[in-house]
Amino acid sequence: MTLIANSRMYNATPRVKAGWDRIFAFVGERSETALEIVDHAAPAPLETLWRRPDIGCVFMCGWPFAMADTKPRIVCAPVPRPPRYGGMPVYVTDFVVRADSTATTLEDTFGGRLAWTVDHSHSGYNAARHHLLRWRTDARPRLFAESVGPLFAPRAVIAAILDGRADVGPVDGWYLDLLRHNDPSAVADLRVVATTAAAPAPPLVAHAGMAEAELERLRSAFLDIPRQRSLEPVLETILIREFVVPEARAYDSTLAWAREAAQAGVGAMTDL
């Protein structure tokens, strides 16, 4: 059966997408797996992609992975190259404002408009609301005057801030790093005012019914990538050091963040 591969969550630029396409081509050839690269561009719902029975190498957000009753198989997870990730398979969320904003801290944005992606995103929703809990009190239950979303993708959050529809918004930190590295002009007018704690990096997943032998072939191909000298320029483009195989339970930390938000009475961004 032909399986699909998709890197939409980190297709920050055409050059980055081309890099991922090269990675998928290598993995398909090395593992002797028929992989078809599909785009599934925004605003098409990622949930419909994750539910497909033919996924073979598809990025999935860690929070919906942890919430899934029937979990897909984890193929591997990336270790981002930037130093701030400490050589671990983790990522963060950055809160960004316009470079010319008067805000110098996240607290300075309170009373303004908060942009967000979608309510099943960890980086663009769950991590953001969890980080903001520390400032909510009985005397100040609402931090923002307006919630701007769902916007479905990090680039849409960035656009909302740059065109003045929102004052601050959470953006996947690794996605932001990819833009800085490959298209600096896209983030030249942005500034980071806060960063969340790290969470497990989104895994590449395959359908739940994948046979163990097929899964191991895919994994082995990904784990072998850092030893391929011809792929080093690609890894530099997509800002990956290597791939590892995390435990599924690593993503339970996203569930704990969601529980803490719910217990604090923040079930949606509009509660902030």
Side-chain angles (χ1 to χ4, degrees):
M1 179 176 70
T2 298
L3 301 175
I4 64 167
N6 177 273
S7 59
R8 167 179 150 180
M9 286 177 59
Y10 291 102
N11 282 348
T13 72
R15 184 167 177 247
V16 173
K17 183 185 184 304
W20 276 109
D21 289 352
R22 176 87 182 278
I23 293 293
F24 290 147
F26 170 83
V27 168
E29 181 178 356
R30 177 58 61 93
S31 66
E32 299 182 339
T33 302
L35 287 177
E36 176 189 359
I37 299 169
V38 299
D39 288 340
H40 199 80
L46 280 167
E47 313 95 283
T48 62
L49 180 69
W50 298 332
R51 287 195 294 264
R52 285 183 56 160
D54 59 348
I55 58 175
C57 300
V58 171
F59 267 114
M60 184 176 188
C61 182
W63 186 32
F65 171 82
M67 290 190 290
D69 293 328
T70 301
K71 289 180 171 50
R73 307 295 303 273
I74 291 178
V75 178
C76 62
V79 177
R81 186 166 288 205
R84 65 172 170 164
Y85 304 107
M88 301 293 290
V90 298
Y91 75 139
V92 296
T93 291
D94 290 325
F95 287 87
V96 298
V97 299
R98 282 175 57 109
D100 60 4
S101 169
T102 58
T104 59
T105 67
L106 185 55
E107 298 96 305
D108 291 337
T109 69
F110 295 165
R113 298 158 297 171
L114 173 67
W116 52 281
T117 54
V118 65
D119 63 5
H120 61 65
S121 167
H122 181 72
S123 61
Y125 183 90
N126 190 44
R129 65 176 178 169
H130 180 266
H131 187 82
L132 288 162
L133 293 180
R134 67 196 70 187
W135 288 284
R136 287 182 78 250
T137 65
D138 291 338
R140 187 174 60 179
R142 294 290 302 275
L143 302 178
F144 296 94
E146 186 180 344
S147 170
V148 182
L151 298 176
F152 300 105
R155 285 299 280 258
V157 170
I158 290 171
I161 292 166
L162 291 179
D163 68 20
R165 285 177 289 131
D167 301 301
V168 63
V171 177
D172 180 313
W174 182 30
Y175 187 95
L176 202 61
D177 292 332
L178 286 165
L179 285 177
R180 287 194 194 98
H181 188 61
N182 291 281
D183 186 9
S185 64
V187 295
D189 293 326
L190 291 178
R191 182 161 42 82
V192 175
V193 292
T195 300
T196 68
L204 283 154
V205 300
H207 64 87
M210 178 172 283
E212 196 67 29
E214 186 174 15
L215 180 65
E216 285 304 318
R217 288 197 301 272
L218 286 171
R219 283 176 171 169
S220 294
F222 274 104
L223 297 182
D224 193 45
I225 285 172
R227 290 186 285 274
Q228 305 301 313
R229 293 183 64 182
S230 64
L231 292 178
E232 171 55 27
V234 179
L235 293 178
E236 172 62 23
T237 294
I238 64 177
L239 291 182
I240 285 181
R241 177 181 295 190
E242 61 181 334
F243 295 92
V244 298
V245 182
E247 295 285 343
R249 64 174 178 269
Y251 297 91
D252 289 349
S253 61
T254 64
L255 300 177
W257 288 17
R259 282 195 300 270
E260 290 176 28
Q263 290 165 1
V266 180
M269 286 300 204
T270 52
D271 295 327
L272 288 166

